[in-house]
C-alpha cells in the first residue's frame, strides 16, 4: 500500500517538476487575499506575452498585514500587492521596497474599490446613508479594525462620510462611537470572516468593499449592495521589491498589470480599474461625494490617530464597550 | 492493578547507561520543541517591556473570559467525558464502534471548518432553532466540541483495565450502585479524569480557529484572548501580543500545576 502511494506521488510530481523547469525565471508574487481570483487569469495572460515568455510564478495570498510581516521576516518576494499603503510602508521601513515606490503615473496603485453597504436582498431596512446605520434596530457587521487592516477602510469611510455630511471632526468621532457601541453586533477578524458572519444571517448591513460584494454576488449569494453617496475610494498598492533578483521580469509584470487587458481582468473580478479607457467599459456607480484617504488626513496620520492599539480613537471606542 | 501504574515512585538517583541516554534525549527534545519557543516568547516580552497591552481593561476582560470559559469547559468535560467513556466501555449497543471512532473526529476537523459548521448550526438561521452564535454560549459550545476527546480518551483505557471483581465484591457486601461508583470506581479513574481535564483546559485556553467565527469578537463581551492577541499583532504591536501571551501561558501553567497537584494527592490517597 505504502509503495503504491509513493509511486503515485512520483508520477504526480515528475510532470510538475518538468513543467517548472521549462521556466527560466520564477517570480514570487506575495499578495493579500482578494486579488487571487484575478491573478489566476492575469498570470496566464502575461505568460503569453513576449515579456512574459519563460517567466513562472510562485504565488502567496493571505491577510495584507500578515503578508507584509512575512516578507519582513524573509519570505522571498519579487512583487507585492497589498490591501493598504501602510503595509507597504512596513516594507519600506525594512528597506525591502524603495521609498519612491509610489512615484509613478498611478501612485503605486493597481486597483481600486469603494466601501459599500452589503445588505440582504430587497434591502428591507432601506439603508442608503451613513445616518441610516444609526436608526434603531439596525445591526451592522464590520471586521475588527485591529485584527483586519482592510477594515480600516470601513472605519475611515464612516468617519469621512460623517464629515461629508457636515459634521465636525468631533461629531464624526461621536458618530463612530455610537455606531460601534450600539449597532456593530459582531467584529469578525477578517473581511472574509465578516462576509461569512453576514451570510450566516447576522446583521442587516455588512460594511465591505465593492469588489467583495461583486465576487459574493457572482458566486450566487443572495445579497445586494448600496454605495453610500459619501464613501472612500479604496486604493490597493503594488510594488517591486528592492531585493528582487529578477527586476526586469518583475517590472515587466507590473507594467503588464496596467495594460487594458489586465485591468479588464481585474474589473471582471469586481475591482475598479485605474485605467480610464477600461473604466468606460464597465459600469461602476460613481458616488457623488467620493473621497480618498487624503481627505481624512492620509494614512500616516490616520494610523496613529485612529488605530494605535494603546491610545487612539478606535482603541478608546473599543474600550468604551466595556461600559 | 494497572490503573495504579501512574503511582509508581520516581527513581531518586541519576539513571545510568541507556536510561541516561533516554533522559538526555527527552531533555534535549523538550528544550528544542517546547522550551525554546516559550523562552523566545518571554524574551520578546521582556526585551520590550510592553505591559501596557496586558493591563488594558480590554486585555483583562479577554483573559478573564478565556480562563473562566476554559475552566467551565474543563469541569463540564470531566463529567460528560467520564459518562461517555463509561458508556463506551461498560455498555454495548449497536453502532458502538462507530460512536467510538466519532470521538476523535473533532481533532481531525480543521478548526475553521468547526467554526463554519457551528455558525451554520447555531447561527441566526439555525436549523435546530438554537440561536447562540455571537454570545459567550457559542464560545462554550465551540470549546466543548474541540475538547471532547481528551477526558474520554484518558478515562477509557483505565476503565477497560479496571478489575470488575472489586465492584462485585462491593456489591456483595451490600453497597449501592452509587456507593460503588463513588468509593470503588471513581478513586481509580480520578487521575485519568484530571489528566484529561488538564489537556482540555490547555487546549481551550489557546483555542483560536473554532472560536473566532462564532464568537463575533466583540470586545468585553465575546472577545477571547487569542483574538485580542491577533489584534495586537495586526496593529503592529507584536511585543504587546507576546506580553498577553505570556500572561495567558502563566495562568495556564498555574492551573495545570494545580490540577497536577490534585492528581498527585488523589493518587497518593488511593495507594
Amino acid at each position: 500500500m505504502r509503495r503504491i502511494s509513493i509511486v503515485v506521488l512520483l508520477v504526480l510530481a515528475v510532470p510538475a517538476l518538468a513543467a517548472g523547469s521549462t521556466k527560466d525565471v520564477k517570480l514570487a508574487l506575495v499578495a493579500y487575499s482578494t486579488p487571487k481570483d484575478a491573478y489566476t487569469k492575469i498570470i496566464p495572460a502575461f505568460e503569453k506575452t513576449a515579456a512574459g515568455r519563460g517567466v513562472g510564478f510562485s504565488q502567496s495570498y493571505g491577510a495584507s498585514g500578515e503578508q507584509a510581516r512575512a516578507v519582513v521576516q524573509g519570505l522571498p518576494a519579487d512583487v507585492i500587492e497589498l490591501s493598504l499603503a501602510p503595509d507597504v510602508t512596513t516594507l519600506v521601513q525594512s528597506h525591502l521596497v524603495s521609498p519612491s515606490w509610489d512615484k509613478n503615473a498611478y501612485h503605486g496603485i493597481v486597483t481600486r474599490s469603494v466601501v459599500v453597504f452589503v445588505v440582504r436582498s430587497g434591502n428591507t431596512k432601506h439603508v442608503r446613508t451613513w445616518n441610516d446605520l444609526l436608526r434603531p434596530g439596525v445591526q451592522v457587521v464590520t471586521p475588527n479594525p485591529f485584527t483586519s487592516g482592510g477594515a480600516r477602510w470601513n472605519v475611515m469611510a464612516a468617519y469621512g462620510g460623517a464629515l461629508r455630511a457636515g459634521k465636525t471632526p468631533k461629531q464624526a468621532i461621536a458618530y463612530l462611537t455610537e455606531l460601534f457601541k450600539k449597532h456593530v453586533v459582531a467584529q469578525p477578524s477578517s473581511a472574509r470572516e465578516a462576509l461569512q458572519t453576514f451570510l450566516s444571517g447576522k446583521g442587516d448591513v455588512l460594511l465591505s468593499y465593492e469588489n467583495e460584494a461583486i465576487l459574493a454576488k457572482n458566486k450566487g449569494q443572495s445579497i445586494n449592495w448600496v454605495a453610500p453617496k459619501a464613501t472612500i475610494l479604496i486604493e490597493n498598492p503594488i510594488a517591486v521589491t528592492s531585493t528582487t533578483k529578477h527586476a526586469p521580469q518583475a517590472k515587466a509584470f507590473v507594467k503588464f498589470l496596467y495594460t487594458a487587458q489586465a485591468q479588464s481582468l481585474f474589473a471582471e473580478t469586481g475591482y475598479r480599474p485605474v485605467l480610464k479607457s477600461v473604466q468606460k467599459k464597465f459600469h461602476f456607480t460613481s458616488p457623488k461625494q467620493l473621497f480618498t484617504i487624503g481627505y481624512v488626513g492620509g494614512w500616516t496620520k490616520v494610523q496613529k490617530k485612529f488605530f494605535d492599539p494603546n491610545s487612539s480613537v478606535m482603541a478608546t471606542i473599543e474600550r468604551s464597550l466595556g461600559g | 492493578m494497572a490503573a495504579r501504574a501512574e503511582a509508581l515512585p520516581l527513581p531518586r538517583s541519576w539513571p545510568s547507561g541507556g536510561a541516561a541516554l533516554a533522559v538526555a534525549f527527552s531533555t534535549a527534545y523538550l528544550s528544542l520543541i517546547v522550551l525554546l519557543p516559550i523562552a523566545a516568547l518571554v524574551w520578546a516580552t521582556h526585551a520590550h517591556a510592553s505591559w501596557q497591552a496586558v493591563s488594558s481593561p480590554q486585555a483583562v476582560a479577554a483573559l478573564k473570559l478565556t480562563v473562566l470559559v476554559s475552566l467551565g469547559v474543563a469541569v463540564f468535560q470531566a463529567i460528560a467525558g467520564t459518562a461517555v467513556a463509561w458508556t463506551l466501555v461498560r455498555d454495548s449497543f449497536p453502532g458502538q464502534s462507530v460512536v467510538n471512532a466519532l470521538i476523535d473526529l473533532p481533532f481531525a476537523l480543521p478548526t475553521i471548518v468547526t467554526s463554519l459548521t457551528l455558525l451554520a448550526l447555531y447561527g441566526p438561521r439555525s436549523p435546530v432553532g438554537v440561536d447562540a452564535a455571537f454570545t459567550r454560549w457559542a464560545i462554550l459550545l465551540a470549546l466543548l466540541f474541540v475538547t471532547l476527546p481528551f477526558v474520554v480518551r484518558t478515562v477509557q483505557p483505565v476503565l477497560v483495565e479496571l478489575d470488575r471483581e472489586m465492584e462485585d465484591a462491593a456489591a456483595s457486601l451490600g453497597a449501592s450502585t452509587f456507593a460503588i461508583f463513588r468509593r470503588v470506581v471513581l478513586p481509580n479513574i480520578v487521575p485519568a479524569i484530571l489528566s484529561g481535564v488538564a489537556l482540555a483546559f490547555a487546549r481551550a485556553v489557546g483555542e483560536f480557529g473554532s472560536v473566532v467565527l462564532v464568537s463575533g469578537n466583540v470586545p468585553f463581551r465575546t472577545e477571547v484572548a487569542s483574538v485580542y492577541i491577533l489584534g495586537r499583532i495586526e496593529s503592529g504591536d507584536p511585543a504587546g501580543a507576546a506580553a498577553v501571551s505570556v500572561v495567558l501561558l502563566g495562568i495556564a501553567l498555574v492551573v495545570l500545576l494545580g490540577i497536577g497537584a490534585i492528581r498527585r494527592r488523589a493518587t497518593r490517597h488511593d495507594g
Side-chain angles (χ1 to χ4, degrees), chain A residues 160-179:
Chain A
L163 291 184
R164 281 286 201 223
K167 290 188 163 71
T168 65
K170 214 173 164 186
Q171 288 166 331
I173 288 171
Y175 171 86
L176 280 181
T177 310
E178 196 181 341
L179 178 66

Side-chain angles (χ1 to χ4, degrees), chain A residues 134-168:
Chain A
L134 298 191
R135 279 206 313 256
V138 174
Q139 296 193 332
V140 180
V141 174
T142 182
N144 183 310
F146 291 102
T147 52
S148 160
R152 296 176 181 190
W153 287 115
N154 299 351
V155 174
M156 294 331 291
Y159 176 78
L163 291 184
R164 281 286 201 223
K167 290 188 163 71
T168 65

Side-chain angles (χ1 to χ4, degrees), chain A residues 57-109:
Chain A
F57 281 86
S58 74
Q59 302 166 54
S60 161
Y61 300 96
S64 186
E66 246 157 62
Q67 294 292 75
R69 274 194 306 280
V71 173
V72 169
Q73 297 293 332
L75 177 71
D78 300 300
V79 176
I80 48 124
E81 191 202 332
L82 298 168
S83 162
L84 61 171
D87 290 334
V88 183
T89 310
T90 306
L91 297 177
V92 172
Q93 283 161 355
S94 302
H95 309 289
L96 294 166
V97 165
S98 155
S100 62
W101 67 275
D102 55 352
K103 304 284 183 290
N104 56 40
Y106 301 98
H107 304 286
I109 303 303

Side-chain angles (χ1 to χ4, degrees), chain A residues 66 69 146-147 187 310 318 322, chain B residues 216-217 219-220 231-232 234-235:
Chain A
E66 246 157 62
R69 274 194 306 280
F146 291 102
T147 52
Q187 298 186 24
N310 291 320
E318 297 276 37
Chain B
N217 305 331
F220 295 95
R232 282 279 162 175
E234 293 292 327
S235 312

Side-chain angles (χ1 to χ4, degrees), chain A residues 63 65-66 69 120 144-149 152 180-181 184-189 193-194 196-202 307-310 315 318-323, chain B residues 52-53 56-58 112 116 119-120 123-126 131 133-134 208 212-213 215-223 227-238:
Chain A
E66 246 157 62
R69 274 194 306 280
R120 312 231 169 256
N144 183 310
F146 291 102
T147 52
S148 160
R152 296 176 181 190
F180 274 83
K181 243 182 141 162
V184 173
V185 287
Q187 298 186 24
S189 70
E193 277 170 17
Q196 283 302 332
T197 300
F198 185 74
L199 293 177
S200 85
K202 187 71 178 174
F307 304 112
D308 182 286
N310 291 320
E318 297 276 37
R319 209 164 292 150
S320 74
L321 297 179
Chain B
Q52 199 178 359
S56 84
Q58 196 180 335
I112 192 70
L116 272 171
L119 187 60
R125 289 174 187 163
S126 167
D131 183 3
F134 318 110
F208 177 78
V212 68
L213 206 53
S215 73
N217 305 331
V218 178
F220 295 95
R221 270 179 277 165
T222 56
E223 187 181 49
V227 176
Y228 178 80
I229 289 166
L230 175 72
R232 282 279 162 175
I233 297 173
E234 293 292 327
S235 312
D237 183 17

